[in-house]
Amino acid sequence: MRHRVAVVWVAGLAAAVAAYAQEDPLKRLIEGAYALGQAGNHAQAADLYREAVRTAEASGDSRLPKALSGLADENDELGHYAEAERQYRRALSLVEAGDGRESPAYAAIAVNLGAHFVDLGQGAKGEGMLRESIGVLAAVLPRGDLHLTMARNCLALVAIGNRRYDEAERLMEQALEGLRQPESPPGLVAVTVSNLGALRRFQGRYDEAAHLFAESIASTESQLGNDHPLLVRSLNNLALTEVLLGHREAAEAGFQRALAVAEKRLGVENPLYGKILLNYAATERKFGNKKAAKALEVRAKAVLADNARANGAGMTVDRAAFRGR
């Protein structure tokens, strides 16, 4: 998965398309969409990727799988899971026809689809794709490659879910080792540190987990700003950990900030927003505030029901920083 780098969106989609439509318009569209996605502007990035798909289809350009995979990435971030899966599968089909299933290009897109399944809580479905892709990519790519880092992070999440904590730790150490270099893009280390925090929480090491989530949040803020969508899951995970530590005020503040960032950058219809509402509701119920808990649950269920009608929903720890470019 890819990292996000801040850019400024100034003049709207029509002007952006016109600006990029010079000398290789498809390249301009893909690069513009990529930059928008890095900045966390997922809806605008998806619009440019759609234009890139149309441009590639009209010209028969071989970069169509890249545009489709990019569009799928953004749809995943927006909670449009059914659309994302269709686009990943179409991209894979095109690459398989041209380069074959054993090619690095196929493996790179398969990493994103495998991560998509992990996000939806379908770890068993995604695990095989991730392991196969790691086998192909590790033979040809450097240790710090984004696809490998994402694949190892997502495979670690599967291992955590199956209580294979030693394997999860090894995978995250491999991911961090590849990222310990000056040229590592912003956000990547923060996401991996956040995932390590999730492991510590599952291990019952709550103080360590809270420290790691706080470190991830501070790193993301310093590199990408204080309202970047990458913050949402780390804030949510820190709040969940504060609940386990019995810190009610800190937990409530964390959920409230996570919801504020999610509402501003992802929208209240995003399933991630609904999941955080549910977590917040469970926290209020735990601390005896049943009236607030009920109100939050009603809001959460409405969001998730709307999304499930189109997709079937799921959520895990961050993967938004890692996108196959």
Side-chain angles (χ1 to χ4, degrees):
M1 300 179 182
R2 62 189 181 200
H3 66 289
R4 311 292 184 186
V5 178
V7 296
V8 179
W9 182 261
V10 209
L13 177 63
V17 171
Y20 296 137
Q22 305 169 4
E23 303 178 7
D24 195 353
L26 182 57
K27 179 182 178 183
R28 298 290 185 179
L29 285 166
I30 290 174
E31 288 180 350
Y34 177 78
L36 284 166
Q38 299 292 75
N41 299 322
H42 301 303
Q44 295 157 331
D47 285 339
L48 280 189
Y49 274 123
R50 285 190 193 93
E51 184 66 22
V53 168
R54 288 192 288 268
T55 299
E57 288 173 333
S59 61
D61 197 287
S62 62
R63 290 167 290 180
L64 176 58
K66 184 175 184 178
L68 283 166
S69 183
L71 178 56
D73 291 342
E74 300 308 327
N75 275 322
D76 252 351
E77 296 300 333
L78 293 167
H80 303 160
Y81 301 129
E83 289 182 54
E85 184 170 341
R86 284 195 296 270
Q87 288 148 1
Y88 282 135
R89 291 194 180 281
R90 185 182 173 201
L92 284 172
S93 178
L94 290 168
V95 173
E96 181 178 4
D99 299 327
R101 291 178 62 92
E102 302 302 318
S103 67
Y106 186 95
I109 298 172
V111 165
N112 287 356
L113 180 56
H116 162 88
F117 288 130
V118 174
D119 277 350
L120 293 178
Q122 301 173 24
K125 198 170 183 179
E127 182 173 3
M129 299 186 79
L130 292 169
R131 290 191 186 280
E132 288 178 15
S133 297
I134 288 172
V136 172
L137 296 174
V140 296
L141 295 176
R143 289 181 303 175
D145 180 81
L146 302 190
H147 299 89
L148 278 171
T149 305
M150 180 191 72
R152 286 171 175 145
N153 266 277
C154 291
L155 194 55
L157 297 178
V158 176
I160 291 172
N162 291 308
R163 299 187 178 185
R164 303 196 306 263
Y165 298 144
D166 289 344
E167 179 187 1
E169 187 150 6
R170 175 179 54 79
L171 286 163
M172 280 189 268
E173 285 175 353
Q174 288 176 337
L176 283 169
E177 181 184 358
L179 293 172
R180 289 192 184 106
Q181 46 192 317
E183 64 272 20
S184 287
L188 292 183
V189 174
V191 167
T192 307
V193 168
S194 182
N195 288 351
L196 184 58
L199 171 62
R200 294 293 180 247
R201 191 177 67 213
F202 275 89
Q203 291 172 318
R205 296 158 63 173
Y206 302 137
D207 287 323
E208 288 181 59
H211 175 78
L212 288 165
F213 289 134
E215 179 184 336
S216 174
I217 290 166
S219 176
T220 302
E221 288 174 333
S222 68
Q223 294 184 311
L224 299 171
N226 60 9
D227 69 344
H228 196 281
L230 276 181
L231 289 166
V232 174
R233 289 183 178 89
S234 291
L235 288 165
N236 171 76
N237 286 327
L238 177 57
L240 288 171
T241 306
E242 298 289 9
V243 174
L244 294 168
L245 290 167
H247 302 160
R248 178 178 181 174
E249 290 184 3
E252 289 177 332
F255 286 128
Q256 288 164 10
R257 186 178 172 203
L259 287 169
V261 175
E263 179 176 356
K264 178 180 179 181
R265 301 303 303 276
L266 300 173
V268 295
E269 73 285 352
N270 193 291
L272 181 55
Y273 185 85
K275 292 284 186 176
I276 297 168
L277 284 171
L278 272 186
N279 290 339
Y280 192 6
T283 296
E284 291 300 291
R285 193 171 295 282
K286 175 181 176 65
F287 289 116
N289 193 349
K290 295 181 181 179
K291 183 177 180 180
K294 181 65 176 176
L296 289 164
E297 285 168 355
V298 169
R299 290 170 60 194
K301 289 176 181 177
V303 172
L304 296 174
D306 286 345
N307 186 266
R309 273 191 283 272
N311 297 291
M315 166 190 161
T316 60
V317 188
D318 292 324
R319 74 177 183 101
F322 303 91
R323 291 283 187 204
R325 193 166 179 183

